[in-house]
Amino acid sequence: MGRLFVVNLEGNIYSCKHCKTHLALSEDIVSKSFHCRHGQAYLFSKVVNTSMGKLEERMMMTGMHTVADIFCVRCGSIVGWKYETAHEKGQKYKEGKSVLERYKVSGPDGRNYCINYERHIGGSDGDDV
């Protein structure tokens, strides 16, 4: 497979909960109001050490988007998705940005977040895959 080169970040870091590979800085959070099937998710302007899956059309709570799942480059676990195209004018700010699902990453404080099915009832300002 070859040698794996990863970017090491400094500061308040979100990392893969399985292998601790650095994924994003807290200063790159655009929004904390996103949701996925498993609870809370954060929109980031920049993520590192991820590979992108196949582009697909998905109907989200805020309309149709072209997105791709993103995976940790070290362990291969899915950590979220990246917005390639937003089809609605009001959603264009998401293009090129990535969402990390909170239960799949460790926060800057080192905590892992768990799925909370009871809190994830109802809608949100974010998207749902």
Side-chain angles (χ1 to χ4, degrees):
M1 177 164 117
R3 188 173 182 150
L4 180 64
F5 291 95
V6 296
V7 175
N8 287 312
L9 301 172
E10 292 184 25
N12 292 324
I13 300 164
Y14 287 87
S15 58
C16 175
K17 80 172 186 180
H18 299 289
C19 67
K20 305 300 182 217
T21 298
H22 295 177
L23 298 173
L25 292 169
S26 60
E27 63 195 47
D28 292 326
I29 294 175
V30 175
S31 175
K32 290 185 176 183
S33 66
F34 281 66
H35 288 272
C36 63
R37 275 183 240 133
H38 307 297
Q40 197 171 11
Y42 294 171
L43 180 68
F44 287 85
S45 59
K46 179 180 167 185
V47 297
V48 296
N49 300 323
T50 60
S51 61
M52 216 166 78
K54 187 172 79 169
L55 290 174
E56 61 183 52
E57 299 292 319
R58 285 191 196 154
M59 179 56 78
M60 308 285 210
M61 289 176 64
T62 55
M64 186 64 74
H65 294 80
T66 304
V67 300
D69 289 332
I70 54 175
F71 304 86
C72 173
V73 294
R74 180 166 284 155
C75 71
S77 63
I78 184 169
V79 291
W81 67 91
K82 181 174 183 175
Y83 288 101
E84 191 68 26
T85 307
H87 298 285
E88 295 187 22
K89 188 176 180 180
Q91 301 299 310
K92 293 288 186 185
Y93 75 96
K94 296 176 183 175
E95 291 182 346
K97 295 177 177 62
S98 299
V99 172
L100 295 179
E101 298 182 46
R102 288 298 291 128
Y103 89 100
K104 295 181 179 183
V105 299
S106 295
D109 58 3
R111 288 186 350 185
N112 287 325
Y113 292 80
C114 299
I115 300 171
N116 188 340
Y117 292 104
E118 294 162 5
R119 278 189 26 188
H120 185 60
I121 296 173
S124 81
D125 293 337
D127 291 346
D128 194 358
V129 288

